Amino acid sequence: MTNKNQDNKMEKIVSLCKRRGFVFPSSEIYDGFSAVYDLGPYGVELANNIKNAWWRAMTQFRDDVVGLDSAIFMSPKIWEASGHVKGFSDPLTECKKCHSRLRLDSLLEDAGIFADEKMSEDEINEIFDKNKDKIKCPNCGAKDFTPGKKFNLLVQSNLGNFTGDWSKEPTYLRGETCQGIYVNYKNVLDSARVKVPFGIAQIGKAFRNEITARQFIFRTREFEQMEMQYFIKPDTQEKYYNEWKETRWKFYLDLGIKEKNLKWHKHENLVFYAKEAYDIEYNYPFGFKELEGVHARGDYDLSQHSKHSGQDLSYFDVTSGEKFVPHIVETSAGVGRTFLAILSEAYTEEGEGDGARIVLKISPKLAPIKIAIFPLLKNKPELVKKAKDIFDELKLIWKCEFDDNGNIGKRYRRQDEIGTPYCLTVDFDSLENESVTIRDRDTMVQERIDIKNLVSYFKDKIEK
Ligand code: GAP
């Protein structure tokens, strides 16, 4: 892509997502609903494939991590114990002219001034005061703001609240999925025959009252996390922390992300629970930004829940006779951010004039549709029947699409835009010699394959 094309790559991805049924803005027919998105037919396939790849890597290819699916609603005491009720906030400022509410760290960052949402209120206000003349409201251009104030991100709900007084009976939609893991740690320990070191993995929705919604699905108020908490002996943190950093880095390479588009970012200002924290950043069209956090959380979580619940959450090691509160190494990834990274990586424009095409070069493992099956002509029943028979056989193994609409060139272009790695065409020769044409998305090279060999051919290509 030329530089000019790179500049508006994000707009092009957003447009493709809508046009081709990957992502729709929420509640569109009612003028939309800020910072929430819906997944369309191909988006849900891509997201499921991402989640499956993560789930398999965590719980199937290892024997030391088990799965969990805890509820979104939990006792509000959990959020007190975890520190979220007091400490889970971003710095908020208001433009005195147009009254836009803005995230102060993002405003500073946009003006090229380093700031971090994890800084204290005083720290960030000091930087803000020193740089006031450089900061403009993105909505009206004014330079007059209220001082930064920490704004709590937990989303409240009225579940089980019958007085209507939220300060007396608060309930929350979970702000991160891992709290459900900590409070079930003892249940898993007692039921799943696991021994420290072991992990619990969970995929699920989380909710945050994000102040500013930006960059499409990168920062939303409802999103999905893929989190794994690894419970370890206190003196083994460095070993497991480094191992998990390496494992998580490799995961993204296996999904087809180029190493040059990934980098580590070390957190200097740590959130309240962390002992050490690194982010894996991806080079999105708007620059390198957090894709996943790998955190050493020490014994903070289990100690807090032990203290607040009155339950003993320590672990007894039968071989050494030691009793300790396990420390935790956490890996925490966002489904939406991985989705956007995969699309950014895959989005390609090629050729010119009539030969121009947009193609999503997504790894076959993640592609929403693996094989598109076409009869060459719609009005030739014998071609349609043969193509349908092949579709009926292959759909039992892979997500396939049958398409007999329009000319073949148009059908190829459509499949290119949704990232289908293989298109299979049944033509007149197929009726004579039981073979079909397979066209490769990336090289556009076509080869002839016997129908009886299709399953082994695709197994090799899609599942390698
Ligand atoms: N349990 C630790 C935790 O939640 P985090 O850094 O706040 O840590 C982890 O979030 C991951 O969740 C991020 O790296 C990102 O992928 C995803 N995430 C967080 N907030 C998000 C949001 N508002 N929209 C989309 N994804 C988000």
Side-chain angles (χ1 to χ4, degrees), residues 292-417:
E292 161 160 357
V294 184
H295 309 130
R297 299 180 68 123
D299 63 357
Y300 175 83
D301 304 286
L302 291 184
S303 298
Q304 282 295 104
H305 287 304
S306 216
K307 198 164 100 196
H308 284 251
S309 66
Q311 304 284 320
D312 180 8
L313 297 181
S314 58
Y315 176 83
F316 180 68
D317 187 335
V318 281
T319 29
S320 68
E322 288 171 275
K323 194 174 175 195
F324 54 85
V325 174
H327 284 215
I328 289 171
V329 172
E330 164 183 72
T331 70
S332 176
V335 174
R337 289 192 191 180
T338 310
F339 187 111
L340 188 55
I342 296 295
L343 289 186
S344 310
E345 190 79 16
Y347 184 91
T348 314
E349 289 175 0
E350 283 179 353
E352 280 177 15
D354 283 349
R357 65 171 188 152
I358 293 171
V359 50
L360 286 187
K361 296 189 173 177
I362 305 179
S363 125
K365 242 191 320 219
L366 297 182
I369 304 294
K370 315 295 183 198
I371 310 155
I373 296 154
F374 310 149
L376 181 65
L377 297 171
K378 184 181 185 159
N379 56 2
K380 294 283 172 210
E382 58 283 31
L383 295 183
V384 174
K385 180 175 182 312
K386 196 159 219 45
K388 276 250 164 78
D389 287 348
I390 293 173
F391 172 72
D392 285 338
E393 190 188 339
L394 295 182
K395 77 178 183 195
L396 300 176
I397 313 176
W398 298 288
K399 179 80 187 164
C400 298
E401 199 167 85
F402 179 86
D403 187 3
D404 58 4
N405 249 323
N407 69 41
I408 285 282
K410 278 212 176 109
R411 286 184 247 170
Y412 282 154
R413 293 291 175 268
R414 188 175 167 278
Q415 296 297 333
D416 285 346
E417 286 202 17

